[in-house]
């Protein structure tokens, strides 16, 4: 369940009534005040109306993330990549009540090329004026998560640690969750995880989206490093193959 918000004098305030993820998706798609508009595909995936890509979580995945974060009492995390803020919103809602913090990072290239595989074809290109970042900042403000989720701009793995350290003290705090949904090919997934591997807590949860994209080399690395491959928790259909590894 998700808190309802109302706008008074230009500021969003939490109300007592609770909403489901389905209701919050409907609210986002009905929003006419944001910097972009949002739409659902027929299969339930969410995207910015002026961009076919990137595509974000389905409702069942959003619900799983919120509920898991609350049940596991997660508080420190990192997300690659932001897209336009829907998964950031889910994690933020899930960790806010315990004073949680999550850093999310993206180069916002996918929307430039309108291609889910854009990151595989370019290197170190960063979109400094992206609709995705504007969407993310708007949604975090709308749902009072600006002090919980911190969007950053960068390329993984080059900029990962520096961006996380802007908001989380990695010298004294470990990450108890990461969400990997960046470049959708094996080697990049390995690089994304290796960038934060020294900072992952012993009892952390690793979330992976689009697990069908993990190849043999990725699974071998994950098994060797963390003891297993991701277990699918929201399969294709209700989701896009959301999986987790619980260390």
């Amino acid at each position: 369940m998700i808190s309802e918000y109302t706008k008074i004098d230009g500021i969003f305030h939490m109300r007592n009534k609770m909403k489901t993820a389905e209701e919050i998706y409907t609210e986002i798609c009905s929003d006419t005040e944001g910097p972009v508009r949002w739409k659902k595909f027929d299969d339930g995936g969410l995207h910015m109306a002026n961009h076919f890509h990137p595509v974000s979580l389905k409702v069942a995945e959003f619900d799983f993330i919120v509920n898991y974060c609350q049940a596991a009492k997660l508080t420190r995390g990192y997300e690659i990549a932001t897209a336009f803020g829907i998964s950031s919103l889910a994690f933020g809602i899930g960790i806010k009540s315990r004073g949680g913090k999550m850093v999310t990072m993206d180069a916002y290239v996918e929307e430039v090329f309108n291609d889910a595989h854009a990151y595989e074809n370019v290197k170190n290109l960063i979109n400094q004026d992206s609709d995705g970042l504007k969407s993310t900042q708007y949604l975090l403000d709308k749902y009072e998560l600006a002090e919980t989720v911190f969007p950053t701009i960068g390329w993984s793995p080059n900029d990962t640690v520096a961006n996380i350290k802007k908001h989380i003290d990695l010298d004294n705090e470990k990450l108890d969750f990461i969400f990997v949904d960046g470049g959708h090919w094996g080697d990049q997934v390995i690089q994304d995880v290796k960038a934060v591997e020294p900072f992952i807590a012993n009892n952390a949860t690793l979330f992976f989206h689009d697990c069908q994209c993990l190849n043999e080399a990725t699974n071998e690395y994950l098994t060797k490093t963390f003891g297993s491959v991701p277990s699918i928790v929201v399969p294709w259909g209700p989701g896009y193959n959301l999986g987790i590894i619980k260390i």
Side-chain angles (χ1 to χ4, degrees):
M1 304 296 286
I2 298 167
S3 299
E4 182 177 353
Y5 298 77
T6 188
K7 194 172 186 182
I8 303 173
D9 297 329
I11 300 173
F12 288 94
H13 299 272
M14 186 183 295
R15 297 166 62 186
N16 291 328
K17 185 180 176 182
M18 303 299 286
K19 288 188 175 182
T20 65
E22 184 65 59
E23 288 171 329
I24 205 168
Y25 269 46
T26 299
E27 181 177 78
I28 289 171
C29 290
S30 301
D31 190 299
T32 59
E33 298 185 9
V36 300
R37 301 292 181 266
W38 301 268
K39 291 179 65 177
K40 265 189 180 183
F41 287 115
D42 290 342
D43 72 350
L46 203 63
H47 68 109
M48 293 182 287
N50 56 331
H51 299 284
F52 188 88
H53 292 288
V55 180
S56 195
L57 306 175
K58 293 187 182 181
V59 165
E61 296 173 308
F62 193 104
D63 265 334
F64 179 88
I65 288 169
V66 172
N67 293 332
Y68 186 98
C69 288
Q70 292 174 343
K73 300 181 179 179
L74 303 181
T75 61
R76 293 293 182 270
Y78 166 66
E79 172 187 50
I80 180 74
T82 316
F84 53 99
I86 301 303
S87 49
S88 301
L89 186 60
F91 281 104
I93 292 169
I95 68 175
K96 180 179 179 179
S97 65
R98 290 168 307 285
K101 290 183 180 180
M102 184 184 81
V103 173
T104 181
M105 186 177 79
D106 204 324
Y108 299 102
V109 172
E110 201 171 324
E111 69 179 63
V112 174
F113 295 94
N114 200 30
D115 182 0
H117 301 283
Y119 292 98
E120 193 170 3
N121 301 317
V122 298
K123 296 296 180 186
N124 298 322
L125 175 65
I126 293 177
N127 179 10
Q128 296 283 359
D129 185 33
S130 68
D131 287 338
L133 179 59
K134 294 170 188 174
S135 169
T136 301
Q137 291 171 328
Y138 176 81
L139 292 173
L140 294 178
D141 286 341
K142 175 170 183 169
Y143 294 100
E144 298 182 354
L145 294 169
E147 297 302 316
T148 300
V149 179
F150 303 92
T152 63
I153 301 174
W155 193 271
S156 176
N158 304 20
D159 304 312
T160 301
V161 173
N163 274 333
I164 296 174
K165 283 186 173 181
K166 292 176 183 177
H167 305 283
I168 296 175
D169 181 7
L170 291 179
D171 293 328
N172 295 296
E173 297 180 289
K174 292 289 189 179
L175 302 173
D176 57 14
F177 71 94
I178 64 170
F179 180 50
V180 181
D181 189 20
H184 285 46
W185 71 100
D187 182 60
Q188 184 60 45
V189 174
I190 294 172
Q191 291 185 57
D192 290 341
V193 178
K194 278 189 172 181
V196 294
E197 186 183 326
F199 309 105
I200 294 174
N202 292 334
N203 61 345
T205 300
L206 316 182
F207 296 80
F208 296 86
H209 203 226
D210 299 300
C211 286
Q212 73 278 2
C213 297
L214 304 182
N215 62 18
E216 184 177 348
T218 309
N219 288 333
E220 182 179 338
Y221 161 72
L222 293 173
T223 300
K224 181 179 179 179
T225 308
F226 302 107
S228 72
V229 299
S231 298
I232 303 299
V233 291
V234 186
W236 195 268
Y240 294 126
N241 284 333
L242 176 67
I244 65 169
I245 297 174
K246 177 67 176 78
I247 302 176

